[in-house]
Every structure is written in structure tokens, then in C-alpha cells.
Short mmCIF file of all heavy atoms in Angstrom, two decimals:
data_model
loop_
_atom_site.label_atom_id
_atom_site.label_comp_id
_atom_site.label_asym_id
_atom_site.label_seq_id
_atom_site.Cartn_x
_atom_site.Cartn_y
_atom_site.Cartn_z
N MET A 206 -137.54 232.50 16.76
CA MET A 206 -136.26 232.57 17.32
C MET A 206 -135.68 233.94 16.89
O MET A 206 -135.72 234.37 15.80
CB MET A 206 -135.36 231.46 16.67
CG MET A 206 -133.98 231.43 17.29
SD MET A 206 -132.90 230.13 16.70
CE MET A 206 -133.58 228.71 17.43
N THR A 207 -135.20 234.67 17.89
CA THR A 207 -134.61 235.97 17.66
C THR A 207 -133.24 235.87 17.07
O THR A 207 -132.58 234.73 17.09
CB THR A 207 -134.50 236.79 18.99
OG1 THR A 207 -133.55 236.17 19.85
CG2 THR A 207 -135.85 236.91 19.66
N ASP A 208 -132.72 236.97 16.55
CA ASP A 208 -131.39 237.02 15.96
C ASP A 208 -130.32 236.55 16.98
O ASP A 208 -129.43 235.85 16.71
CB ASP A 208 -131.07 238.38 15.34
CG ASP A 208 -131.74 238.62 14.09
OD1 ASP A 208 -132.14 237.61 13.45
OD2 ASP A 208 -131.79 239.75 13.71
N SER A 209 -130.53 237.09 18.23
CA SER A 209 -129.52 236.73 19.28
C SER A 209 -129.51 235.28 19.58
O SER A 209 -128.50 234.65 19.73
CB SER A 209 -129.95 237.54 20.51
OG SER A 209 -129.09 237.18 21.60
N GLU A 210 -130.73 234.66 19.61
CA GLU A 210 -130.84 233.14 19.85
C GLU A 210 -130.25 232.43 18.70
O GLU A 210 -129.51 231.43 18.86
CB GLU A 210 -132.22 232.79 20.07
CG GLU A 210 -132.85 233.26 21.39
CD GLU A 210 -134.32 232.99 21.49
OE1 GLU A 210 -134.97 232.85 20.37
OE2 GLU A 210 -134.87 232.91 22.57
N SER A 211 -130.44 232.91 17.50
CA SER A 211 -129.94 232.20 16.30
C SER A 211 -128.36 232.22 16.30
O SER A 211 -127.74 231.20 16.03
CB SER A 211 -130.41 232.97 15.03
OG SER A 211 -129.89 232.41 13.90
N TRP A 212 -127.73 233.40 16.68
CA TRP A 212 -126.31 233.45 16.70
C TRP A 212 -125.72 232.71 17.85
O TRP A 212 -124.67 232.09 17.79
CB TRP A 212 -125.81 234.88 16.66
CG TRP A 212 -126.07 235.62 15.37
CD1 TRP A 212 -127.06 236.55 15.14
CD2 TRP A 212 -125.48 235.24 14.16
NE1 TRP A 212 -126.91 236.86 13.80
CE2 TRP A 212 -126.03 236.04 13.13
CE3 TRP A 212 -124.46 234.39 13.81
CZ2 TRP A 212 -125.61 236.05 11.81
CZ3 TRP A 212 -124.10 234.30 12.43
CH2 TRP A 212 -124.67 235.07 11.46
N LYS A 213 -126.46 232.65 18.97
CA LYS A 213 -125.96 231.83 20.12
C LYS A 213 -126.05 230.35 19.71
O LYS A 213 -125.10 229.62 19.99
CB LYS A 213 -126.95 232.01 21.32
CG LYS A 213 -126.48 231.26 22.49
CD LYS A 213 -127.37 231.62 23.71
CE LYS A 213 -126.90 230.82 24.92
NZ LYS A 213 -127.74 231.13 26.12
N GLU A 214 -127.09 229.88 19.00
CA GLU A 214 -127.12 228.54 18.49
C GLU A 214 -125.97 228.25 17.57
O GLU A 214 -125.36 227.21 17.59
CB GLU A 214 -128.42 228.20 17.86
CG GLU A 214 -128.57 226.85 17.23
CD GLU A 214 -128.37 225.71 18.20
OE1 GLU A 214 -128.68 225.85 19.39
OE2 GLU A 214 -127.83 224.65 17.80
N ARG A 215 -125.70 229.23 16.64
CA ARG A 215 -124.59 229.09 15.71
C ARG A 215 -123.23 228.91 16.47
O ARG A 215 -122.40 228.06 16.10
CB ARG A 215 -124.55 230.27 14.79
CG ARG A 215 -123.53 230.15 13.63
CD ARG A 215 -123.83 228.96 12.76
NE ARG A 215 -125.11 228.98 12.19
CZ ARG A 215 -125.45 229.37 10.99
NH1 ARG A 215 -124.57 229.91 10.16
NH2 ARG A 215 -126.74 229.32 10.59
N ARG A 216 -122.99 229.66 17.54
CA ARG A 216 -121.85 229.57 18.29
C ARG A 216 -121.77 228.16 18.96
O ARG A 216 -120.67 227.53 19.01
CB ARG A 216 -121.70 230.64 19.36
CG ARG A 216 -121.38 231.99 18.79
CD ARG A 216 -120.99 232.96 19.82
NE ARG A 216 -122.08 233.24 20.78
CZ ARG A 216 -122.95 234.18 20.62
NH1 ARG A 216 -123.01 234.96 19.58
NH2 ARG A 216 -123.97 234.34 21.52
N ASN A 217 -122.82 227.66 19.45
CA ASN A 217 -122.90 226.33 20.03
C ASN A 217 -122.58 225.30 19.04
O ASN A 217 -121.93 224.30 19.21
CB ASN A 217 -124.25 226.06 20.59
CG ASN A 217 -124.52 226.84 21.88
OD1 ASN A 217 -123.60 227.35 22.46
ND2 ASN A 217 -125.84 227.06 22.25
N GLN A 218 -123.12 225.55 17.75
CA GLN A 218 -122.83 224.56 16.67
C GLN A 218 -121.36 224.50 16.39
O GLN A 218 -120.76 223.41 16.24
CB GLN A 218 -123.55 225.05 15.43
CG GLN A 218 -124.18 224.07 14.57
CD GLN A 218 -124.95 224.62 13.41
OE1 GLN A 218 -124.86 225.83 13.12
NE2 GLN A 218 -125.65 223.84 12.75
N VAL A 219 -120.63 225.69 16.37
CA VAL A 219 -119.24 225.72 16.12
C VAL A 219 -118.54 224.85 17.15
O VAL A 219 -117.64 224.10 16.94
CB VAL A 219 -118.65 227.18 16.14
CG1 VAL A 219 -117.23 227.13 16.15
CG2 VAL A 219 -119.25 227.91 14.91
N ALA A 220 -118.91 225.09 18.50
CA ALA A 220 -118.28 224.30 19.58
C ALA A 220 -118.47 222.85 19.39
O ALA A 220 -117.47 222.06 19.63
CB ALA A 220 -118.87 224.79 20.85
N ARG A 221 -119.68 222.40 18.99
CA ARG A 221 -119.93 220.96 18.81
C ARG A 221 -119.06 220.38 17.66
O ARG A 221 -118.47 219.29 17.79
CB ARG A 221 -121.39 220.72 18.49
CG ARG A 221 -122.26 220.89 19.69
CD ARG A 221 -123.67 220.34 19.44
NE ARG A 221 -124.35 220.96 18.39
CZ ARG A 221 -125.09 222.05 18.38
NH1 ARG A 221 -125.36 222.62 19.52
NH2 ARG A 221 -125.70 222.47 17.30
N TYR A 222 -118.94 221.14 16.55
CA TYR A 222 -118.11 220.65 15.50
C TYR A 222 -116.69 220.65 15.79
O TYR A 222 -115.94 219.71 15.41
CB TYR A 222 -118.34 221.53 14.17
CG TYR A 222 -119.59 221.15 13.41
CD1 TYR A 222 -120.68 222.04 13.33
CD2 TYR A 222 -119.71 219.94 12.78
CE1 TYR A 222 -121.85 221.69 12.65
CE2 TYR A 222 -120.89 219.57 12.08
CZ TYR A 222 -121.96 220.46 11.99
OH TYR A 222 -123.10 220.17 11.35
N ARG A 223 -116.22 221.57 16.57
CA ARG A 223 -114.81 221.59 17.03
C ARG A 223 -114.54 220.35 17.87
O ARG A 223 -113.48 219.67 17.76
CB ARG A 223 -114.55 222.79 17.86
CG ARG A 223 -114.25 224.08 17.10
CD ARG A 223 -113.91 225.17 18.00
NE ARG A 223 -113.77 226.43 17.29
CZ ARG A 223 -113.93 227.60 17.86
NH1 ARG A 223 -114.25 227.72 19.05
NH2 ARG A 223 -113.76 228.72 17.06
N ALA A 224 -115.47 220.02 18.74
CA ALA A 224 -115.33 218.79 19.64
C ALA A 224 -115.30 217.58 18.76
O ALA A 224 -114.44 216.74 18.97
CB ALA A 224 -116.47 218.71 20.62
N MET A 225 -116.17 217.46 17.80
CA MET A 225 -116.22 216.26 16.90
C MET A 225 -114.87 216.23 16.15
O MET A 225 -114.32 215.11 15.94
CB MET A 225 -117.32 216.33 15.91
CG MET A 225 -118.67 216.04 16.58
SD MET A 225 -119.98 215.76 15.41
CE MET A 225 -120.33 217.52 14.84
N GLU A 226 -114.32 217.33 15.68
CA GLU A 226 -113.07 217.42 14.95
C GLU A 226 -111.95 216.82 15.80
O GLU A 226 -111.09 216.02 15.36
CB GLU A 226 -112.80 218.81 14.49
CG GLU A 226 -111.49 219.00 13.81
CD GLU A 226 -111.20 220.44 13.47
OE1 GLU A 226 -111.91 221.34 13.93
OE2 GLU A 226 -110.06 220.68 12.80
N GLN A 227 -111.94 217.19 17.07
CA GLN A 227 -110.95 216.71 18.01
C GLN A 227 -111.00 215.16 18.23
O GLN A 227 -110.02 214.52 18.55
CB GLN A 227 -110.91 217.55 19.36
CG GLN A 227 -110.61 218.95 19.14
CD GLN A 227 -109.19 219.19 18.63
OE1 GLN A 227 -108.23 218.59 19.06
NE2 GLN A 227 -109.00 220.11 17.70
N GLU A 228 -112.22 214.74 18.31
CA GLU A 228 -112.51 213.34 18.76
C GLU A 228 -112.36 212.33 17.63
O GLU A 228 -112.14 211.16 17.88
CB GLU A 228 -113.90 213.25 19.39
CG GLU A 228 -114.07 214.01 20.67
CD GLU A 228 -115.42 214.07 21.13
OE1 GLU A 228 -116.38 213.49 20.44
OE2 GLU A 228 -115.69 214.65 22.21
N THR A 229 -112.46 212.75 16.38
CA THR A 229 -112.48 211.77 15.32
C THR A 229 -111.09 211.24 14.99
O THR A 229 -110.09 211.98 15.21
CB THR A 229 -113.13 212.40 14.03
OG1 THR A 229 -113.22 211.38 13.04
CG2 THR A 229 -112.25 213.45 13.42
N THR A 230 -111.02 210.00 14.61
CA THR A 230 -109.79 209.37 14.25
C THR A 230 -109.64 209.25 12.71
O THR A 230 -108.56 208.84 12.27
CB THR A 230 -109.66 207.98 14.86
OG1 THR A 230 -110.80 207.15 14.45
CG2 THR A 230 -109.58 208.04 16.37
N ASP A 231 -110.68 209.60 12.00
CA ASP A 231 -110.62 209.50 10.56
C ASP A 231 -110.10 210.84 9.98
O ASP A 231 -110.78 211.89 10.22
CB ASP A 231 -112.09 209.21 10.05
CG ASP A 231 -112.12 209.11 8.51
OD1 ASP A 231 -111.27 209.64 7.75
OD2 ASP A 231 -113.18 208.52 8.02
N PRO A 232 -109.03 210.83 9.26
CA PRO A 232 -108.45 212.08 8.79
C PRO A 232 -109.37 212.81 7.79
O PRO A 232 -109.46 214.06 7.87
CB PRO A 232 -107.18 211.65 8.02
CG PRO A 232 -106.87 210.26 8.58
CD PRO A 232 -108.14 209.71 9.00
N LEU A 233 -110.08 212.16 6.97
CA LEU A 233 -111.01 212.84 5.97
C LEU A 233 -112.11 213.48 6.83
O LEU A 233 -112.48 214.69 6.53
CB LEU A 233 -111.58 211.80 5.04
CG LEU A 233 -112.58 212.43 4.06
CD1 LEU A 233 -111.98 213.55 3.24
CD2 LEU A 233 -113.06 211.29 3.14
N ALA A 234 -112.74 212.78 7.75
CA ALA A 234 -113.80 213.34 8.57
C ALA A 234 -113.24 214.59 9.33
O ALA A 234 -113.95 215.61 9.44
CB ALA A 234 -114.31 212.32 9.57
N ALA A 235 -112.05 214.50 9.88
CA ALA A 235 -111.46 215.68 10.63
C ALA A 235 -111.32 216.86 9.69
O ALA A 235 -111.60 217.95 10.07
CB ALA A 235 -110.16 215.29 11.22
N ARG A 236 -110.90 216.65 8.48
CA ARG A 236 -110.69 217.69 7.56
C ARG A 236 -112.04 218.36 7.13
O ARG A 236 -112.16 219.54 7.09
CB ARG A 236 -109.98 217.24 6.25
CG ARG A 236 -109.68 218.22 5.23
CD ARG A 236 -108.78 219.38 5.80
NE ARG A 236 -108.84 220.53 4.92
CZ ARG A 236 -108.38 221.68 5.22
NH1 ARG A 236 -107.87 221.95 6.41
NH2 ARG A 236 -108.46 222.68 4.31
N LEU A 237 -113.01 217.55 6.91
CA LEU A 237 -114.37 218.03 6.58
C LEU A 237 -114.97 218.85 7.72
O LEU A 237 -115.47 219.89 7.54
CB LEU A 237 -115.30 216.89 6.17
CG LEU A 237 -114.93 216.17 4.86
CD1 LEU A 237 -115.85 214.97 4.73
CD2 LEU A 237 -115.12 217.08 3.67
N LEU A 238 -114.82 218.34 8.91
CA LEU A 238 -115.28 219.06 10.12
C LEU A 238 -114.50 220.38 10.27
O LEU A 238 -115.08 221.42 10.63
CB LEU A 238 -115.15 218.17 11.36
CG LEU A 238 -116.11 216.99 11.43
CD1 LEU A 238 -115.67 216.02 12.50
CD2 LEU A 238 -117.51 217.51 11.76
N HIS A 239 -113.26 220.34 10.01
CA HIS A 239 -112.51 221.57 10.11
C HIS A 239 -113.00 222.64 9.13
O HIS A 239 -113.09 223.82 9.48
CB HIS A 239 -111.01 221.28 9.83
CG HIS A 239 -110.11 222.45 9.99
ND1 HIS A 239 -109.75 223.01 11.25
CD2 HIS A 239 -109.47 223.26 9.06
CE1 HIS A 239 -109.00 224.08 11.04
NE2 HIS A 239 -108.82 224.22 9.77
N ASP A 240 -113.28 222.13 7.90
CA ASP A 240 -113.86 223.15 6.91
C ASP A 240 -115.17 223.66 7.34
O ASP A 240 -115.46 224.90 7.11
CB ASP A 240 -113.97 222.46 5.55
CG ASP A 240 -112.60 222.20 4.83
OD1 ASP A 240 -111.63 222.79 5.25
OD2 ASP A 240 -112.66 221.40 3.94
N ILE A 241 -116.01 222.85 7.95
CA ILE A 241 -117.30 223.28 8.45
C ILE A 241 -117.16 224.33 9.50
O ILE A 241 -117.76 225.46 9.49
CB ILE A 241 -118.16 222.09 8.94
CG1 ILE A 241 -118.55 221.18 7.85
CG2 ILE A 241 -119.37 222.64 9.70
CD1 ILE A 241 -119.14 219.86 8.24
N VAL A 242 -116.17 224.12 10.41
CA VAL A 242 -115.94 225.07 11.48
C VAL A 242 -115.44 226.40 10.87
O VAL A 242 -115.92 227.47 11.36
CB VAL A 242 -114.91 224.47 12.50
CG1 VAL A 242 -114.40 225.60 13.41
CG2 VAL A 242 -115.50 223.37 13.29
N LEU A 243 -114.60 226.40 9.95
CA LEU A 243 -114.10 227.59 9.32
C LEU A 243 -115.26 228.37 8.68
O LEU A 243 -115.31 229.55 8.80
CB LEU A 243 -113.08 227.29 8.22
CG LEU A 243 -111.70 226.74 8.80
CD1 LEU A 243 -110.76 226.41 7.68
CD2 LEU A 243 -111.12 227.78 9.76
N ASP A 244 -116.16 227.63 7.94
CA ASP A 244 -117.25 228.36 7.33
C ASP A 244 -118.20 228.91 8.35
O ASP A 244 -118.69 230.09 8.15
CB ASP A 244 -118.01 227.34 6.45
CG ASP A 244 -117.33 226.88 5.22
OD1 ASP A 244 -116.33 227.65 4.82
OD2 ASP A 244 -117.74 225.92 4.61
N LEU A 245 -118.44 228.27 9.43
CA LEU A 245 -119.36 228.81 10.48
C LEU A 245 -118.72 230.01 11.11
O LEU A 245 -119.39 231.00 11.40
CB LEU A 245 -119.67 227.74 11.53
CG LEU A 245 -120.60 226.57 11.04
CD1 LEU A 245 -120.68 225.51 12.10
CD2 LEU A 245 -121.95 227.08 10.66
N GLU A 246 -117.40 230.00 11.36
CA GLU A 246 -116.74 231.09 12.00
C GLU A 246 -116.72 232.30 11.11
O GLU A 246 -116.89 233.42 11.59
CB GLU A 246 -115.29 230.68 12.33
CG GLU A 246 -115.19 229.75 13.49
CD GLU A 246 -113.77 229.31 13.79
OE1 GLU A 246 -112.95 229.28 12.92
OE2 GLU A 246 -113.57 228.85 14.94
N VAL A 247 -116.57 232.10 9.81
CA VAL A 247 -116.66 233.26 8.89
C VAL A 247 -118.01 233.93 8.94
O VAL A 247 -118.15 235.13 9.01
CB VAL A 247 -116.34 232.79 7.46
CG1 VAL A 247 -116.75 233.79 6.45
CG2 VAL A 247 -114.86 232.39 7.26
N GLU A 248 -119.09 233.12 9.00
CA GLU A 248 -120.48 233.66 9.14
C GLU A 248 -120.62 234.39 10.45
O GLU A 248 -121.21 235.55 10.43
CB GLU A 248 -121.50 232.51 9.09
CG GLU A 248 -121.68 231.89 7.68
CD GLU A 248 -122.69 230.79 7.77
OE1 GLU A 248 -123.60 230.87 8.65
OE2 GLU A 248 -122.61 229.92 6.90
N LEU A 249 -120.01 233.91 11.51
CA LEU A 249 -120.15 234.60 12.79
C LEU A 249 -119.33 235.87 12.82
O LEU A 249 -119.76 236.85 13.54
CB LEU A 249 -119.77 233.61 13.94
CG LEU A 249 -120.69 232.57 14.28
CD1 LEU A 249 -120.13 231.59 15.29
CD2 LEU A 249 -122.00 233.20 14.83
N GLU A 250 -118.18 235.92 12.26
CA GLU A 250 -117.35 237.09 12.24
C GLU A 250 -118.06 238.25 11.58
O GLU A 250 -117.79 239.38 11.97
CB GLU A 250 -116.02 236.81 11.57
CG GLU A 250 -115.03 235.91 12.42
CD GLU A 250 -113.82 235.58 11.66
OE1 GLU A 250 -113.59 236.05 10.52
OE2 GLU A 250 -113.06 234.73 12.21
N GLY A 251 -118.94 237.96 10.67
CA GLY A 251 -119.70 239.02 9.99
C GLY A 251 -120.84 239.49 10.78
O GLY A 251 -121.49 240.47 10.36
N SER A 252 -121.15 238.93 11.91
CA SER A 252 -122.37 239.30 12.66
C SER A 252 -121.90 240.22 13.79
O SER A 252 -120.82 240.17 14.30
CB SER A 252 -123.00 238.06 13.23
OG SER A 252 -122.31 237.60 14.34
N PRO A 253 -122.86 241.07 14.24
CA PRO A 253 -122.54 241.94 15.41
C PRO A 253 -122.31 241.13 16.68
O PRO A 253 -121.53 241.48 17.50
CB PRO A 253 -123.76 242.79 15.60
CG PRO A 253 -124.59 242.61 14.33
CD PRO A 253 -124.09 241.40 13.72
N GLN A 254 -122.95 239.94 16.77
CA GLN A 254 -122.79 239.09 17.91
C GLN A 254 -121.45 238.25 17.87
O GLN A 254 -121.08 237.66 18.78
CB GLN A 254 -123.94 238.07 18.07
CG GLN A 254 -125.19 238.70 18.46
CD GLN A 254 -125.99 239.32 17.24
OE1 GLN A 254 -125.60 239.19 16.08
NE2 GLN A 254 -127.04 240.08 17.49
N GLY A 255 -120.81 238.32 16.70
CA GLY A 255 -119.54 237.59 16.51
C GLY A 255 -118.34 238.14 17.22
O GLY A 255 -117.29 237.58 17.32
N VAL A 256 -118.48 239.36 17.78
CA VAL A 256 -117.45 240.04 18.50
C VAL A 256 -117.10 239.19 19.71
O VAL A 256 -117.95 238.83 20.47
CB VAL A 256 -117.78 241.41 18.93
CG1 VAL A 256 -116.70 242.05 19.80
CG2 VAL A 256 -118.04 242.26 17.69
N GLY A 257 -115.86 238.87 19.87
CA GLY A 257 -115.46 238.04 21.01
C GLY A 257 -115.51 236.61 20.87
O GLY A 257 -115.32 235.82 21.71
N LEU A 258 -115.84 236.13 19.60
CA LEU A 258 -115.96 234.76 19.28
C LEU A 258 -114.66 233.96 19.64
O LEU A 258 -114.62 232.95 20.24
CB LEU A 258 -116.29 234.47 17.88
CG LEU A 258 -116.33 233.01 17.35
CD1 LEU A 258 -117.43 232.27 18.03
CD2 LEU A 258 -116.49 232.97 15.85
N ASN A 259 -113.53 234.60 19.28
CA ASN A 259 -112.24 233.88 19.44
C ASN A 259 -111.82 233.84 20.89
O ASN A 259 -110.94 233.10 21.31
CB ASN A 259 -111.22 234.58 18.63
CG ASN A 259 -111.43 234.35 17.18
OD1 ASN A 259 -111.93 233.32 16.76
ND2 ASN A 259 -111.00 235.37 16.35
N ALA A 260 -112.45 234.59 21.76
CA ALA A 260 -112.11 234.59 23.20
C ALA A 260 -112.70 233.37 23.88
O ALA A 260 -112.28 233.08 25.00
CB ALA A 260 -112.63 235.93 23.86
N ALA A 261 -113.69 232.66 23.28
CA ALA A 261 -114.31 231.53 23.92
C ALA A 261 -113.39 230.34 23.79
O ALA A 261 -112.46 230.14 23.16
CB ALA A 261 -115.63 231.19 23.19
#
């Protein structure tokens, strides 16, 4: 897997976790998912491919 594919997969992962965060009714699960999303976004912001992440 190339770096580009790896970062694309990571962006997809962020989108999936965001969707799960919105769909869950358990407050603890929502908070944990939110923390996961924040961690993944921090990793993406440090990457050259992370430019424009917030535009999605």
C-alpha cells in the first residue's frame, strides 16, 4: 500500500468513526468515538495529504 492509499484509507476511517459517533445513543461510546476522531485528525493534519481535510 502506498502512502497515498494509506492516507486515503485513514480519511475514510475518520468518516466512518464520525458516522458512528453521530448514530450512537450511548453517551460514553459517543465520547470515545469523538476522541478517536480527534486523534485520527491530528495524525492527518501532520501529513502532506491532510491538506483540505476539513473541507470534506
